[in-house]
């Protein structure tokens, strides 16, 4: 992954154009039932308490508000409280005890192996910072399938993250793809999928078993399991 990542942005020029399959990472490449999100939410709440000197209830309320308004708690922290985003990353994402939770999964590996990389380039697309994104795919032992990663650069101002359209444009530029119709996407977030669908990406919203499906689907495809990408997008798999 490293070489392709450093080449990001020039890939489209150097090699013939290929379609790109963008994969969200958290709660997508590993199941929501791993409860990483809950652990993260707890660390974020603690961060709010410690760094904004807030009582617990106010901290959890503000965390929720920023998450809903901006898609990421950190965006609210940067906008309104001038926190150091990389210190936040160290205390939250990098502090997650993932080694005990995220393990390689044979079915995921098989799914990625069956994708025809002559036709499509696999690309990671996350709202996490690069450290966390890389750590997760390393623990899943699927690093080698991806040619690069578009992540939320916590050090940048303004912060750009999904579902903002600029983040989708950034991903396309880094992955070296020009047309929206050449983009495939899977994500567990309703708003991310809704935005991708509006842009014209071929989008599958992952709504795991046990998760209540939305009243209005976010995108053309809604899947219960990543394996259903085989039926949603048969054209990207080896025949
Ligand atoms: Mg996700």
């Amino acid at each position: 992954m490293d070489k392709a990542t450093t080449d990001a942005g020039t890939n489209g020029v150097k090699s013939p154009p290929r379609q790109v399959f963008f994969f969200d990472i958290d709660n997508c490449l590993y199941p929501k039932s791993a409860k990483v999100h809950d652990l993260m939410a707890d660390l974020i709440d603690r961060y709010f308490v410690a760094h904004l000197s807030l009582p617990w209830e106010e901290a959890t309320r503000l965390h929720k508000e920023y998450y809903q308004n901006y898609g990421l708690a950190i965006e609210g922290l940067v906008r309104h409280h001038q926190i150091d985003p990389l210190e936040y990353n160290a205390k939250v994402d990098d502090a997650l005890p993932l080694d005990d939770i995220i393990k390689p999964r044979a079915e995921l590996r098989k799914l990625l192996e069956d994708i025809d990389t002559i036709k499509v380039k696999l690309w990671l697309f996350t709202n996490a910072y690069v450290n966390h994104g890389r750590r997760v795919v390393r623990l899943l032992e699927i690093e080698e399938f991806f040619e690069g990663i578009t992540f939320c650069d916590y050090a940048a101002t303004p912060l750009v993250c999904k579902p903002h359209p600029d983040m989708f444009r950034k991903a396309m530029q880094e992955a070296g793809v020009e047309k929206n119709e050449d983009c495939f996407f899977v994500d567990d977030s309703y708003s991310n999928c809704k935005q991708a669908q509006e842009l014209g990406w071929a989008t599958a919203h992952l709504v795991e078993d046990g998760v209540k499906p939305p009243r209005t689907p976010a995108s053309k495809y809604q899947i219960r399991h990543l394996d259903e990408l085989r039926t949603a997008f048969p054209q990207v798999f080896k025949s």
Side-chain angles (χ1 to χ4, degrees), residues 24-29 32 162 187-189 192:
D24 174 46
I25 298 179
D26 289 293
N27 292 329
C28 188
L29 293 179
K32 218 181 189 88
K162 295 179 280 184
D187 196 306
D188 65 292
S189 152
N192 295 347

Side-chain angles (χ1 to χ4, degrees), residues 25-38 67 101 105 187-190 205-212:
I25 298 179
D26 289 293
N27 292 329
C28 188
L29 293 179
Y30 61 81
K32 218 181 189 88
S33 53
K35 297 238 189 309
V36 172
H37 186 84
D38 295 3
Y67 186 77
I101 303 169
R105 296 159 62 222
D187 196 306
D188 65 292
S189 152
Y190 181 89
H205 180 205
L206 176 65
V207 182
E208 262 182 53
D209 277 330
V211 175
K212 201 173 156 222

Side-chain angles (χ1 to χ4, degrees), residues 81-97:
H81 307 280
Q82 291 81 45
I83 62 111
D84 175 355
L86 294 180
E87 195 226 327
Y88 167 92
N89 178 70
K91 293 268 165 58
V92 178
D93 292 19
D94 291 354
L96 287 166

Side-chain angles (χ1 to χ4, degrees), residues 41 44-45 48 56-73:
I44 295 172
D45 287 338
F48 273 66
W56 184 260
E57 272 177 27
E58 178 59 11
T60 53
R61 190 197 63 76
L62 201 60
H63 168 193
K64 203 169 157 190
E65 184 185 309
Y66 290 165
Y67 186 77
Q68 282 169 351
N69 289 351
Y70 305 121
L72 274 184

Side-chain angles (χ1 to χ4, degrees), residues 19 24 27 33 57 69 71 80-81 90-91 98 103 113 141 146 158 166 182 190 206-207 210 231 238:
Q19 293 183 304
D24 174 46
N27 292 329
S33 53
E57 272 177 27
N69 289 351
H80 304 296
H81 307 280
K91 293 268 165 58
L98 297 182
K103 307 279 182 204
E113 274 170 1
E141 296 178 7
F146 296 93
D166 285 351
D182 284 337
Y190 181 89
L206 176 65
V207 182
T231 38
K238 293 170 190 162

